Amino acid sequence: MGRPVMTSISPSTMAAVRRSGAVPNAEFLLAAEGIRKEFPGVLALDDVSFRLKRGSVHALMGENGAGKSTLMKILAGIYTPDQGEVTLRGVPIRLQSPLDALENGIAMIHQELNLMPYMTVAENIWIRREPRNRLGFVNHGEMHRMTADLFKRLRIDIDPEIEVRHLSVASRQMVEIAKAVSYESDVLIMDEPTSALTETEVGHLFSIIRDLRSHGIGIVYITHKMNELFEISDEFSVFRDGRYIGTHAASDVTRDDIIKMMVGREITQMFPKEDVAIGDVVLSVKNLTLKGVFENVSFDVRAGEIMGVAGLVGSGRSNVAETIFGVTPASSGTIDLYGKRVDIKSPAVAIQNHMAFLTEDRKDTGCLLILDILQNMQVAVLHDRFVKGGFVQESAVEKACEDMAKRLRVKTPGLFERIENLSGGNQQKVLIGRWLLTNPRILILDEPTRGIDVGAKAEIHRIVTEFAKAGVAVLMISSEMPEVLGMSDRIMVMHEGKVTGFLDRSEATQVKVMELASR
Amino acid sequence: ETIGVAMSLFDDNWLTGLRHSMEDHAKGLKDVTVNTEDGQGDIAKQQSQVDNFIAAGVDGIVIMLVDADAGAAISKRAAEAGIPLVFVNNAPSNVDSLPDKQAFVGSNEEQAGTLETETVCKMLGGKGKAVIIQGQLGTTGQRGRTKATHDVLATDACKGIEVVDEQSANWMRTPSLDLVTNWLSAGRDFDAVIANNDEMALGAIQALKASGKSMDKVVVGGVDATADALAAMQAGDLDVTVFQNAKGQGVGAIDTVLKLARGEKVEKKTYIPFELVTKDNLAQYTAKN
Amino acid sequence: MESKALAETATQDHPAPRKRRLPTELSIFLVLVGIALVYEILGWIFVHQSFLMNSQRLTIMVLQVSVIGIIAVGVTQVIITGGIDLSSGSVVGMTAMIAAGFAQSSTWTRAIYPNMTDLPAIIPIATGILIGLAAGLVNGWLIAYTKIPPFIATLGMMVSARGISKWYTKGQPVSGLTDQFNFIGSGAWPVIVFLVVALIFHIALRYTRYGKFTYAIGANPQAARVSGINIEAHLIKVYAIAGALAGLAGIVTAARAQTAQSGMGVMYELDAIAAAVIGGTSLAGGVGRITGTVIGVIILGVMSSGFTFLRVDAYYQEIIKGAIIVAAVVADVYRQKRKKV
Amino acid sequence: MESKALAETATQDHPAPRKRRLPTELSIFLVLVGIALVYEILGWIFVHQSFLMNSQRLTIMVLQVSVIGIIAVGVTQVIITGGIDLSSGSVVGMTAMIAAGFAQSSTWTRAIYPNMTDLPAIIPIATGILIGLAAGLVNGWLIAYTKIPPFIATLGMMVSARGISKWYTKGQPVSGLTDQFNFIGSGAWPVIVFLVVALIFHIALRYTRYGKFTYAIGANPQAARVSGINIEAHLIKVYAIAGALAGLAGIVTAARAQTAQSGMGVMYELDAIAAAVIGGTSLAGGVGRITGTVIGVIILGVMSSGFTFLRVDAYYQEIIKGAIIVAAVVADVYRQKRKKV
Ligand SMILES: Nc1ncnc2c1ncn2[C@@H]1O[C@H](COP(=O)(O)OP(=O)(O)OP(=O)(O)O)[C@@H](O)[C@H]1O
Ligand SMILES: Nc1ncnc2c1ncn2[C@@H]1O[C@H](COP(=O)(O)OP(=O)(O)OP(=O)(O)O)[C@@H](O)[C@H]1O
Ligand SMILES: [Mg+2]
Ligand SMILES: [Mg+2]
């Protein structure tokens, strides 16, 4: 290579150079060459290269576990690569810690939320950079003002003084975005920032991104949502199995091209919805109310029916699902299962009644992070299957989990891998597997394909359809409009804790749903 | 009258006897109530208990000090408050210069170790090998008794006795049982066990018996003359113990503090001597403690 | 994915079953072996004896910690749920006192029931276990239903149970126990009780639903709840078991000492927790195994036997003991980290 | 498992903005007031005296726990980071011994330095704080860099430091301290030291970056790390501060008793942790305030004074004490839950 051999410059020197403004001009803002990273049993990145231009949005695409997050974590100073070189503005650099990366102008929004739940929004955003007064004390008033300014600029409506634990997942995601922007970095990495957002916030985020791009900032954008790619990115790179496949301009390709690059084959049908015979009402909810959260929610779901639930963030969809499943028992109203009144006062009761519920928040209410895949998958099924005299029938349950993992295309070195070490999408698959194993009669899914790649998404849709075909009633909450429209027999729309209407498959369109959702 | 009794520790067999003797004696007196506190071996806690007694306005305080050296501070505190104070059993470091309305009733720790060791020495005929089992390190009893033991073993008559090992078993039976078993497994050979108290001596006996040692061949000595110890002596396992008159000290302390409270004159220092117990005079003690 | 890439990379698309990792206990076991070998070598150098080739010493090493071990088995389970049990040492004292009260022989002046004849040993044993169980139930109930932190609930029990054991006979020791009762404390019986208990709960934790749920609760209580686990009921079970084991430990302690005293078991909870943590149980919950705890317990036993063996001065023992505990865990952490890479 | 995980079910998305919540300490403060009032009423009924209208008693209530309080201020910070410090009680003993060695007056046979003249009190005081600091640095370094659990690192220090204090003078107490040194233990001085320390760290935790980092690390270490906080360096600071405060507590203890003994401070760590937890600090990290800890400490003091005041038999004191600790926290949890809905 014609590049002069350079020894790595220490991050602190680099930071000083950056502050001085004497930043060398290079073709690429950030480049990574020949990166290799191995975890025990997994080669996450193998000779991968990546180049980011200034003032552009560069999307990263790839199946779950392709290595996208791992590469970004290397660029953000969280992992050190086993091999390879990172150059920032043409200067080779070795990042030793997240602080190095931040000081060099690289900020990152992580795939999993990384906030301090018991601290306020303002404290979360300005941590380590709190404004101080002459005596060295944190100036809370100033910090509040700075946060308010930032939020005004980004058009975010969240109280800076509220503790983060009180926020919904979507709001937390917005806080993360604001925090990353507040670093005023040159490189901004966004790892699936929209997986918890609805269209309104996404649109919102995109305007922020465009604004940043126009200021010469380079943005790396990871997503599994194809439409976002075309809407926001200038160019994109595709990874597969820890290898670099190629980089193209977004305008040069079609959706199918990308899928083929990612998956190595074509995906015929994204929403393999089939018409099935609709049976009796199995879940009937009447005037369900949770004080201060939602009220008078009434609907029926029948065997074989897939009922989609749409709404904006904070419309209370997740809360309704939680209440039906007994996580937060209702303050009034009734739930009938299979024609019988049931007082669902805890999830245990719901499960006894053959319900299953995939929660929205993977990290908080889903994963048993430090346990292995097997234990994560089997935990719900052990209530009535695979147990004899208290003893777990290990080989039978292992076999079942293994089959399920295969079916869902979980990418892992083995069932005894900690779920913590899986990529986000693969974690989601394991959790879906947990519930499918229980052979439910009522299946409640809250954002089921959050963070899942296109290939697996189609597979999950196919499985859900199969379940419906077998007579399972499905309640599917989703913020992805194509998914709701593509999969549902009927759509229930919510707005601010109230049901605003139902739409049949035949009459449902994006416009009609949005109308009801924002009424 | 209300008398505050600050004990150093409840979890100790001899101290329990002392405490009961005070409580029982007070019960027999008219209009005297005692209010007992457990210092749990913590000198600071004990100080606070004295402060609490003062705040509660008791008529007199009896204290079994956690440590002799803390006596001066407590003595000063009580003198300032003008409340009579009697030190029982454990003499404060300022025992020779006690202020008005204060007195000491008790015995001298070192004497126990001296009596015990002298007798063991005699039984061994002045030569052989011995192990010493100490109480919890740093406590008054451990220091006083161990020092006395070493002093006796340094005398001409007992110089022939070699100390082959010396460890602590925290005053308790099971740790002593484990300690002696460990010694035996390490092949330590000894003719005598000199323990700082009876519980540890009994633990040693259990260990010796469990490994098939004949108790006739080993001289075992303790201090306290607890019921269990006397039973063991009766059975021929324990050879020496030292009786410390809990009743004498307890009754003496209560009487003294009451006299002080009533403004009567008392003896500044009353020493109640330790008494040696062996198989020969065992009978007269079995009823006592 | 049927791509050729698969052949070359170490990754596999589909889970390869049966590829269990090396158990983490292996690492701490090697540490134990290391400590024993150091003693062995020092033994030859300084006292010209073998440390390990001595069956009596091998027994006492475990014997002296078997009571701690019995408690630690229960405490490990509690810690796996993300809780803590500070009460076990006091429960040992309390059950020892009460059980011994039923085990006194008629040739002795009884502390509590002066006119009772000798009872068969099963009665004090059952009493002791039940009292421990009751203490555990109270702990569990408080934690599950009033939602106070386990630290506080069991601290309260720790203080109260100690109070009860002092109050029970007003501080008098309870001695003169029947031979039948003392039997379970004689010889290597405590070791056998410990190992049987450890085996039972090793199996329970690894192979039963009880075990799987215990780990799940510790790993993420909210997720466990949503997965249909009745957390409250399960926690009560776990604490009750820990209490019952502490009760059993109290019986063994009294039988070994052939007496019961109110001060028995002081600070045992700390040793038990330490053994569990040394053995790899995480106080954050979700992680831990009985095998690790057993090794942790044995490390404590080996350490103290080693001190006596090498004639370490009593004044230095504690200083060194602290350092060894830290060093053992540092070595363990270091080994596990290296293994990973 | 911390109860908050379970309790957090009544969800609310956007509570009314700008409405700062009532501080959580208010709740535990009311519990304190409740306990005091119960004593007051019982006092009038049974001993015909006022419990609170007695300035001497009010002082001693805090005085007797001020050493615990000084430690608890440090321990609270450690717990907020998600750690624990078991060594503080032993560090109290160790620093008391060593500091007192420099504070002996020449009229006394010195334990350590027989030929030294009287030193100004500042020397033993500085020595004590530095020794505590050193112990804390060792704890912090072990936890930050060897990644062993704080429980083990500080347990090791607990055992070793206790060993050092026994070994230092072979168990002899160090007495005959200079009046200048004893002064800081006289009268209400310990209370003043405690409150000043509490105030300083209350401010540090709430109004400085040091405080923000402390909370951040405890709440979510991963998040703290990616925000660029140097977790290792910060943890060392926190443990060092806790150690220095334990050192200070050791000095106050020795000055109050006018002697130093190797057994000083036994189990203080437990009282300090209990005070913090009673005051609302969560052992899971990220949550806690010095004001709460101060109230927790005072609850412990009020409880003991009340027992003596009401002449509760020592046998019952412990039994009741355990129950009160539990009840106080149950009441607190209950109030906080109600307030939320
Ligand atoms: N800490 C870790 N330990 C072990 N394996 C890991 C670790 N982090 C990631 N991996 C593995 O590395 C691979 C790449 O993971 P990565 O998170 O980069 O995927 P991704 O492309 O971001 O996927 P997704 O779209 O699901 O987020 C996966 O197989 C994952 O299991
Ligand atoms: N105070 C809170 N503490 C913890 N979690 C909360 C709180 N309030 C809301 N949540 C969680 O945030 C999530 C979002 O709830 P919301 O009422 O916004 O449902 P939604 O309409 O489904 O919105 P979304 O589109 O974000 O899923 C729920 O899972 C809920 O449990
Ligand atoms: Mg990812
Ligand atoms: Mg939702």
Side-chain angles (χ1 to χ4, degrees):
Chain A
M1 276 189 279
R3 249 181 322 117
V5 184
M6 282 172 125
T7 47
S8 296
I9 293 178
S10 97
S12 48
T13 314
M14 194 64 214
V17 170
R18 179 170 176 255
R19 273 195 297 273
S20 75
V23 180
N25 232 333
E27 186 189 355
F28 295 108
L29 184 53
L30 181 68
E33 304 285 345
I35 303 284
R36 180 190 164 91
K37 178 73 187 174
E38 192 172 353
F39 295 110
V42 185
L43 184 58
L45 293 173
D46 185 11
D47 193 20
V48 163
S49 300
F50 170 78
R51 298 189 185 86
L52 175 67
K53 294 190 189 119
R54 61 182 73 237
S56 77
V57 178
H58 192 133
L60 278 192
M61 305 294 289
E63 287 188 297
N64 295 131
K68 306 180 294 292
S69 300
T70 306
L71 179 63
M72 292 306 110
K73 283 180 183 169
I74 287 171
L75 298 180
I78 292 164
Y79 293 152
T80 43
D82 303 339
Q83 265 171 37
E85 193 172 62
V86 177
T87 43
L88 186 62
R89 301 177 202 90
V91 183
I93 187 161
R94 261 200 170 281
L95 300 168
Q96 310 282 6
S97 72
L99 183 58
D100 280 353
L102 291 170
E103 288 191 337
N104 281 289
I106 303 173
M108 175 163 176
I109 300 168
H110 290 264
Q111 186 171 9
E112 303 298 336
L113 292 167
N114 260 325
L115 295 169
M116 280 78 75
Y118 284 87
M119 297 176 83
T120 66
V121 168
E123 284 171 331
N124 263 282
I125 290 177
W126 300 107
I127 182 75
R128 197 181 53 80
R129 301 168 294 145
E130 295 87 353
R132 289 185 289 194
N133 63 20
R134 268 164 294 131
L135 298 171
F137 292 123
V138 173
N139 186 339
H140 284 102
E142 175 65 16
M143 197 158 80
H144 180 97
R145 257 190 309 284
M146 284 161 61
T147 316
D149 286 351
L150 180 68
F151 282 1
K152 205 156 96 203
R153 196 179 120 209
L154 303 179
R155 283 183 288 141
I156 294 173
D157 177 31
I158 298 174
D159 174 14
E161 298 305 321
I162 193 171
E163 283 181 14
V164 161
R165 68 195 163 110
H166 298 299
L167 297 179
S168 70
V169 179
S171 308
R172 290 182 205 195
Q173 185 70 60
M174 294 310 286
V175 173
E176 285 271 28
I177 291 169
K179 178 176 174 182
V181 170
S182 77
Y183 283 106
E184 303 192 335
S185 58
D186 300 340
V187 176
L188 185 54
I189 300 168
M190 299 186 169
D191 195 348
E192 299 190 34
T194 55
S195 70
L197 302 182
T198 53
E199 315 245 328
T200 332
E201 290 90 11
V202 173
H204 209 132
L205 174 66
F206 284 178
S207 67
I208 296 172
I209 292 179
R210 289 195 186 96
D211 181 50
L212 294 172
R213 175 171 61 186
S214 70
H215 285 85
I217 289 171
I219 292 160
V220 188
Y221 190 90
I222 301 179
T223 186
H224 289 293
K225 298 182 181 172
M226 222 45 87
N227 49 341
E228 290 181 3
L229 173 92
F230 290 109
E231 191 176 340
I232 194 72
S233 75
D234 301 307
E235 49 179 8
F236 70 95
S237 297
V238 176
F239 290 7
R240 193 199 305 158
D241 273 340
R243 292 167 165 251
Y244 172 73
I245 301 294
T247 303
H248 300 273
S251 48
D252 291 353
V253 291
T254 66
R255 180 192 171 85
D256 289 343
D257 294 338
I258 300 175
I259 293 180
K260 208 165 156 196
M261 285 168 82
M262 279 169 63
V263 189
R265 65 188 154 84
E266 281 180 45
I267 290 176
T268 41
Q269 221 186 346
M270 208 51 228
F271 306 108
K273 175 76 188 130
E274 291 178 44
D275 282 327
V276 300
I278 307 283
D280 296 335
V281 172
V282 292
L283 169 65
S284 172
V285 172
K286 287 214 175 56
N287 298 324
L288 202 66
T289 301
L290 185 61
K291 260 223 196 96
V293 182
F294 59 84
E295 55 190 62
N296 287 328
V297 172
S298 304
F299 62 89
D300 290 344
V301 189
R302 295 165 177 275
E305 185 181 33
I306 300 178
M307 176 143 108
V309 185
L312 299 179
V313 164
S315 56
R317 298 167 299 168
S318 301
N319 295 117
V320 170
E322 282 170 6
T323 298
I324 293 173
F325 202 68
V327 180
T328 47
S331 23
S332 68
T334 61
I335 300 170
D336 289 5
L337 298 176
Y338 324 112
K340 273 221 307 277
R341 176 112 341 149
V342 182
D343 176 19
I344 305 178
K345 48 185 191 304
S346 75
V349 176
I351 287 175
Q352 274 159 28
N353 284 289
H354 310 288
M355 288 168 103
F357 174 38
L358 175 75
T359 56
E360 166 184 46
D361 192 338
R362 194 151 66 211
K363 207 169 171 186
D364 281 1
T365 55
C367 291
L368 308 168
L369 274 178
I370 49 177
L371 301 185
D372 61 28
I373 295 175
L374 181 63
Q375 300 196 58
N376 268 281
M377 249 195 205
Q378 70 186 6
V379 67
V381 76
L382 294 181
H383 293 291
D384 55 13
R385 278 170 62 205
F386 301 118
V387 177
K388 238 198 193 120
F391 282 86
V392 175
Q393 296 170 306
E394 301 272 345
S395 54
V397 76
E398 255 174 57
K399 175 87 180 48
C401 291
E402 200 187 312
D403 289 347
M404 185 58 76
K406 246 182 212 153
R407 206 167 151 197
L408 293 168
R409 311 172 70 82
V410 178
K411 189 189 170 206
T412 167
L415 285 185
F416 297 104
E417 185 72 27
R418 280 186 181 193
I419 198 170
E420 200 173 25
N421 292 340
L422 293 190
S423 76
N426 283 307
Q427 292 178 357
Q428 183 79 3
K429 291 180 197 170
V430 171
L431 297 182
I432 293 176
R434 172 192 292 172
W435 293 111
L436 296 186
L437 272 179
T438 62
N439 285 336
R441 292 180 63 189
I442 300 172
L443 178 60
I444 308 175
L445 301 168
D446 196 351
E447 312 284 5
T449 56
R450 195 178 150 198
I452 288 205
D453 66 47
V454 268
K457 196 182 261 182
E459 188 58 34
I460 285 165
H461 289 155
R462 189 171 5 262
I463 293 172
V464 169
T465 308
E466 262 170 47
F467 268 72
K469 224 156 92 184
V472 175
V474 181
L475 191 66
M476 189 180 75
I477 302 170
S478 173
S479 298
E480 251 189 282
M481 201 58 83
E483 185 172 70
V484 178
L485 294 173
M487 292 294 296
S488 318
D489 292 300
R490 237 165 14 118
I491 298 170
M492 175 169 88
V493 188
M494 291 189 66
H495 176 67
E496 294 193 345
K498 290 198 186 72
V499 175
T500 47
F502 291 87
L503 295 168
D504 263 341
R505 182 177 179 78
S506 50
E507 55 172 337
T509 62
Q510 180 142 355
V511 178
K512 280 187 186 161
V513 172
M514 284 317 291
E515 231 168 53
L516 288 171
S518 48
R519 186 159 64 205
Chain B
E1 284 119 333
T2 307
I3 306 299
V5 176
M7 295 299 295
S8 60
L9 192 65
F10 272 29
D11 290 328
D12 179 279
N13 291 341
W14 188 81
L15 291 176
T16 300
L18 175 65
R19 186 169 82 241
H20 287 175
S21 73
M22 287 192 268
E23 285 166 354
D24 293 347
H25 181 58
K27 232 173 261 163
L29 300 171
K30 229 171 64 175
D31 293 334
V32 176
T33 51
V34 297
N35 186 4
T36 315
E37 297 281 353
D38 180 1
Q40 298 175 358
D42 178 356
I43 186 64
K45 190 167 272 163
Q46 188 164 48
Q47 275 184 315
S48 301
Q49 285 165 350
V50 170
D51 286 341
N52 273 316
F53 281 144
I54 294 171
V58 295
D59 303 292
I61 297 171
V62 176
I63 186 165
M64 159 71 210
L65 282 173
V66 169
D67 199 285
D69 283 33
I74 287 170
S75 176
K76 191 164 148 230
R77 201 97 33 108
E80 280 164 4
I83 294 182
L85 174 69
V86 172
F87 295 94
V88 66
N89 184 258
N90 196 357
S93 52
N94 61 336
V95 68
D96 294 321
S97 56
L98 286 177
D100 274 356
K101 295 223 251 173
Q102 296 191 3
F104 167 70
V105 179
S107 43
N108 180 354
E109 280 298 342
E110 292 193 16
Q111 196 195 355
T114 309
L115 283 173
E116 178 195 12
T117 315
E118 278 173 356
T119 318
V120 170
C121 169
K122 219 174 288 160
M123 287 177 170
L124 287 177
K127 59 178 184 297
K129 291 176 175 166
V131 289
I132 300 176
I133 306 178
Q134 307 181 30
Q136 193 180 354
L137 298 181
T139 51
T140 315
Q142 174 260 336
R143 294 196 317 260
R145 294 174 192 176
T146 309
K147 177 173 180 297
T149 297
H150 282 292
D151 290 350
V152 170
L153 293 181
T155 58
D156 285 343
C158 304
K159 263 205 306 235
I161 296 175
E162 181 200 351
V163 177
V164 292
D165 216 329
E166 181 172 7
Q167 295 285 0
S168 166
N170 285 330
W171 300 121
M172 289 183 288
R173 198 181 295 194
T174 331
S176 166
L177 167 60
D178 293 334
L179 173 65
V180 175
T181 312
N182 270 314
W183 272 336
L184 294 170
S185 75
R188 290 286 188 286
D189 193 27
F190 46 84
D191 314 301
V193 176
I194 304 171
N196 277 175
N197 77 348
D198 283 343
E199 275 299 310
M200 296 191 293
L202 293 173
I205 289 168
Q206 281 179 343
L208 289 163
K209 282 177 143 178
S211 54
K213 289 261 149 66
S214 159
M215 292 314 298
D216 305 337
K217 300 236 171 69
V218 186
V219 176
V220 181
V223 172
D224 281 350
T226 60
D228 288 15
L230 297 175
M233 187 172 280
Q234 186 82 55
D237 298 335
L238 184 70
D239 301 281
V240 186
T241 185
V242 179
F243 175 76
Q244 185 176 189
N245 194 337
K247 193 155 182 194
Q249 293 189 16
V251 171
I254 294 289
D255 287 345
T256 308
V257 79
L258 287 174
K259 276 189 194 154
L260 285 171
R262 292 163 192 161
E264 297 167 30
K265 257 191 76 72
V266 299
E267 216 41 63
K268 274 271 165 210
K269 285 189 272 185
T270 314
Y271 279 99
I272 295 174
F274 281 96
E275 297 160 40
L276 184 68
V277 186
T278 59
K279 195 122 199 181
D280 307 332
N281 62 354
L282 174 63
Q284 64 187 97
Y285 291 96
T286 32
K288 263 196 185 174
N289 249 356
Chain C
M1 236 167 317
E2 304 82 28
S3 62
K4 310 118 243 159
L6 253 180
E8 287 161 38
T9 60
T11 62
Q12 270 169 294
D13 196 6
H14 300 311
R18 318 254 86 226
K19 199 181 105 187
R20 285 194 191 256
R21 305 232 153 166
L22 280 178
T24 48
E25 299 91 289
L26 181 68
S27 165
I28 192 71
F29 180 71
L30 291 178
V31 171
L32 167 61
V33 170
I35 295 176
L37 286 181
V38 169
Y39 278 130
E40 181 72 33
I41 293 166
L42 293 178
W44 285 111
I45 298 175
F46 292 111
V47 291
H48 314 296
Q49 271 185 32
S50 166
F51 179 61
L52 295 168
M53 307 291 180
N54 179 324
S55 62
Q56 202 184 4
R57 184 173 304 116
L58 290 178
T59 314
I60 177 71
M61 275 183 206
V62 187
L63 187 59
Q64 67 194 341
V65 286
S66 46
V67 166
I68 301 288
I70 295 170
I71 302 172
V73 169
V75 166
T76 301
Q77 299 175 58
V78 166
I79 299 178
I80 291 173
T81 68
I84 194 137
D85 189 353
L86 298 178
S87 70
S88 31
S90 295
V91 171
V92 165
M94 177 172 75
T95 52
M97 291 300 276
I98 299 180
F102 289 97
Q104 278 187 304
S105 84
S106 46
T107 54
W108 198 267
T109 359
R110 288 167 185 292
I112 305 288
Y113 307 101
N115 301 315
M116 213 159 53
T117 54
D118 284 15
L119 295 171
I122 187 69
I123 292 186
I125 292 174
T127 311
I129 293 177
L130 286 175
I131 287 173
L133 186 84
L137 282 172
V138 173
N139 284 336
W141 183 86
L142 285 169
I143 291 158
Y145 289 106
T146 70
K147 318 270 188 226
I148 62 176
F151 185 92
I152 290 292
T154 59
L155 177 77
M157 181 56 72
M158 169 189 181
V159 178
S160 292
R162 182 65 61 202
I164 290 175
S165 53
K166 286 179 190 169
W167 155 85
Y168 188 66
T169 60
K170 298 272 175 193
Q172 303 282 9
V174 182
S175 300
L177 312 182
T178 60
D179 290 344
Q180 211 189 2
F181 181 80
N182 286 343
F183 179 72
I184 87 159
S186 64
W189 276 104
V191 177
I192 294 169
V193 173
F194 164 40
L195 294 180
V196 168
V197 163
L199 183 68
I200 291 173
F201 287 98
H202 173 72
I203 291 172
L205 278 181
R206 291 200 63 176
Y207 300 108
T208 70
R209 175 161 56 191
Y210 164 83
K212 309 277 174 192
F213 285 3
T214 306
Y215 285 101
I217 290 175
N220 185 344
Q222 275 175 299
R225 199 167 102 87
V226 175
S227 302
I229 298 174
N230 186 338
I231 296 190
E232 288 78 14
H234 197 84
L235 284 181
I236 291 183
K237 250 186 245 170
V238 173
Y239 281 89
I241 288 174
L245 288 177
L248 179 61
I251 294 162
V252 174
T253 309
R256 250 197 108 199
Q258 306 181 8
T259 178
Q261 320 227 344
S262 59
M264 274 177 166
V266 169
M267 299 271 257
Y268 281 16
E269 60 280 348
L270 205 64
D271 279 344
I273 299 170
V277 178
I278 291 173
T281 303
S282 156
L283 287 166
V287 181
R289 296 203 192 181
I290 299 294
T291 38
T293 300
V294 170
I295 297 169
V297 166
I298 295 177
I299 287 181
L300 296 179
V302 168
M303 210 156 55
S304 52
S305 283
F307 286 145
T308 319
F309 169 68
L310 293 176
R311 298 168 191 246
V312 178
D313 190 298
Y315 287 106
Y316 295 104
Q317 283 192 13
E318 284 187 82
I319 305 181
I320 301 172
K321 184 178 167 189
I324 295 184
I325 291 176
V326 170
V329 179
V330 170
D332 181 28
V333 169
Y334 180 73
R335 271 209 79 250
Q336 296 209 19
K337 208 157 51 184
R338 270 187 31 141
K339 201 179 57 189
K340 237 198 216 156
V341 185
Chain D
M1 188 199 27
E2 281 298 290
S3 48
K4 71 173 187 255
L6 277 174
E8 204 83 79
T9 39
T11 60
Q12 246 177 316
D13 200 2
H14 294 289
R18 303 262 70 227
K19 199 179 86 185
R20 270 208 184 254
R21 308 232 151 168
L22 284 175
T24 48
E25 301 89 289
L26 181 68
S27 166
I28 192 70
F29 180 72
L30 290 178
V31 172
L32 167 62
V33 170
I35 294 176
L37 286 182
V38 169
Y39 278 130
E40 181 72 34
I41 293 166
L42 293 178
W44 285 111
I45 298 175
F46 292 110
V47 291
H48 315 294
Q49 272 185 34
S50 166
F51 178 61
L52 295 169
M53 308 291 181
N54 178 325
S55 63
Q56 202 181 6
R57 184 173 300 116
L58 290 177
T59 315
I60 173 71
M61 274 183 208
V62 187
L63 186 58
Q64 67 191 341
V65 287
S66 46
V67 167
I68 301 287
I70 296 170
I71 301 172
V73 169
V75 166
T76 301
Q77 299 174 58
V78 166
I79 299 178
I80 291 173
T81 67
I84 192 132
D85 189 353
L86 299 178
S87 69
S88 31
S90 295
V91 171
V92 165
M94 177 172 74
T95 51
M97 291 297 278
I98 299 179
F102 290 96
Q104 278 188 304
S105 85
S106 45
T107 53
W108 198 267
T109 358
R110 288 166 186 291
I112 305 287
Y113 307 102
N115 301 317
M116 213 159 54
T117 53
D118 284 15
L119 295 171
I122 186 70
I123 292 186
I125 291 174
T127 310
I129 292 177
L130 285 176
I131 286 171
L133 186 82
L137 281 173
V138 172
N139 284 336
W141 183 86
L142 284 169
I143 291 158
Y145 289 105
T146 71
K147 313 274 185 227
I148 63 175
F151 186 91
I152 290 290
T154 59
L155 176 75
M157 180 57 74
M158 168 188 183
V159 176
S160 292
R162 182 66 62 203
I164 291 174
S165 54
K166 286 178 188 168
W167 156 86
Y168 189 63
T169 61
K170 296 273 173 193
Q172 301 289 356
V174 182
S175 301
L177 312 182
T178 60
D179 291 343
Q180 209 190 5
F181 181 81
N182 286 342
F183 179 73
I184 88 159
S186 64
W189 276 105
V191 176
I192 294 169
V193 173
F194 164 40
L195 294 179
V196 168
V197 163
L199 183 68
I200 291 173
F201 287 98
H202 173 73
I203 292 172
L205 278 181
R206 293 201 60 175
Y207 300 105
T208 70
R209 277 193 190 169
Y210 165 83
K212 304 285 174 198
F213 286 16
T214 307
Y215 285 104
I217 289 173
N220 188 344
Q222 176 69 14
R225 208 169 96 81
V226 301
S227 303
I229 294 175
N230 184 339
I231 297 189
E232 288 76 19
H234 194 79
L235 283 181
I236 291 182
K237 251 186 240 171
V238 172
Y239 282 90
I241 287 175
L245 288 176
L248 178 61
I251 294 162
V252 174
T253 310
R256 235 193 121 205
Q258 304 183 9
T259 174
Q261 323 228 334
S262 58
M264 275 175 164
V266 170
M267 299 271 258
Y268 282 16
E269 60 281 346
L270 206 64
D271 279 344
I273 299 170
V277 177
I278 292 173
T281 303
S282 158
L283 287 167
V287 180
R289 295 201 191 181
I290 299 295
T291 38
T293 299
V294 170
I295 296 168
V297 166
I298 295 176
I299 285 181
L300 295 180
V302 168
M303 213 156 52
S304 315
S305 284
F307 286 144
T308 314
F309 167 69
L310 294 175
R311 300 188 191 164
V312 178
D313 194 300
Y315 293 115
Y316 297 105
Q317 282 191 14
E318 284 186 79
I319 304 180
I320 302 171
K321 183 177 168 192
I324 295 184
I325 292 176
V326 169
V329 179
V330 170
D332 181 29
V333 168
Y334 180 74
R335 270 208 77 252
Q336 295 210 20
K337 205 156 53 185
R338 269 182 34 136
K339 201 177 56 187
K340 229 199 220 161
V341 186

